[in-house]
Amino acid sequence: MGRQYGVTARAVRVAATAAALTALLTGCGGDGGGEGGAKAKEPPQNAGSVSSAPREPDEPAGGEADPTGPDRSKVLATIDSGSGFHFIVHSAVRDEGGFLTVSATLKNTTSQLLVAKSQWSGDEINVKRTGPSFAGITLVDKTEKKRYYVLRDTEGYPLTTTGITSLEAGKSVAVFAQFPAPPANVTRVDIQVPLMPTATIELS
């Protein structure tokens, strides 16, 4: 099972270099933005569906609320890959260090073992060498016309859950990913998980 939220030593170490990473990894488009990077593109057409409706009371949340970690009893969006995986977003929380942490649950809704998708790790050679991860997830701010990528530490490791190669039938695993925080006036972004539909989530 992959690295869990709050226990990744590399995520702690990145605090010292937050400003530099944010400047390097925040893409900007639009009218002459000075930060550089990719302009937000239309999301690819993928199989599956997205639901932002509240979960039924008898449907498990993928983990009870934990006083030492994120509240996984809430659901901002449920993304159905169409291949048996559900990506359930619980929160997208800013912190004082200029980060935005997305907490989610990856769930296998089938009766058989599912293999994690290599595309979730993204296409960067430097990140691929760190093994399976969710470094390919991006956030798109349509208001500011910016795309945000998962932060990396000084050794190139993505600040996200890593090491998930497969998921047994009916099982769930907690997932997190850290991004540069959008401006305070931005309250909604699109989250794009490779091979899954795009979903809009609220920031807090």
Side-chain angles (χ1 to χ4, degrees):
M1 185 173 294
R3 224 160 35 172
Q4 300 300 309
Y5 178 90
V7 298
T8 305
R10 298 184 188 279
V12 176
R13 194 166 57 207
V14 78
T17 57
L21 286 170
T22 301
L24 288 173
L25 297 170
T26 302
C28 179
D31 298 330
E35 296 178 21
K39 182 183 294 184
K41 300 177 180 178
E42 288 300 319
Q45 297 299 318
N46 296 308
S49 61
V50 178
S51 172
S52 57
R55 194 199 322 270
E56 293 299 323
D58 59 347
E59 185 179 350
E64 297 299 325
D66 181 355
T68 64
D71 183 0
R72 298 185 182 276
S73 64
K74 298 180 180 179
V75 175
L76 300 182
T78 297
I79 307 173
D80 181 356
S81 69
S83 63
F85 282 116
H86 280 187
F87 193 84
I88 305 164
V89 183
H90 302 292
S91 63
V93 181
R94 293 183 174 91
D95 66 25
E96 295 179 355
F99 300 119
L100 177 76
T101 301
V102 174
S103 300
T105 296
L106 179 69
K107 183 175 182 180
N108 178 354
T109 62
T110 74
S111 59
Q112 59 187 0
L113 179 78
L114 290 181
V115 176
K117 305 299 183 181
S118 61
Q119 290 89 342
W120 294 344
S121 300
D123 296 326
E124 294 179 42
I125 295 176
N126 193 45
V127 172
K128 283 185 175 181
R129 69 177 177 82
T130 66
S133 72
F134 288 86
I137 296 176
T138 60
L139 303 178
V140 175
D141 170 12
K142 293 181 179 178
T143 302
E144 299 291 332
K145 295 184 173 62
K146 292 183 179 180
R147 184 184 299 273
Y148 296 88
Y149 297 89
V150 173
L151 289 166
R152 277 65 160 156
D153 69 9
T154 55
E155 296 179 11
Y157 284 84
L159 299 188
T160 180
T161 303
T162 63
I164 297 176
T165 56
S166 61
L167 199 57
E168 294 180 3
K171 297 296 184 180
S172 300
V173 61
V175 173
F176 83 96
Q178 286 190 325
F179 302 85
N185 65 304
V186 177
T187 59
R188 294 161 64 91
V189 296
D190 286 350
I191 183 168
Q192 297 180 345
V193 183
L195 303 181
M196 295 188 188
T198 298
T200 301
I201 57 175
E202 298 280 349
L203 306 185
S204 57

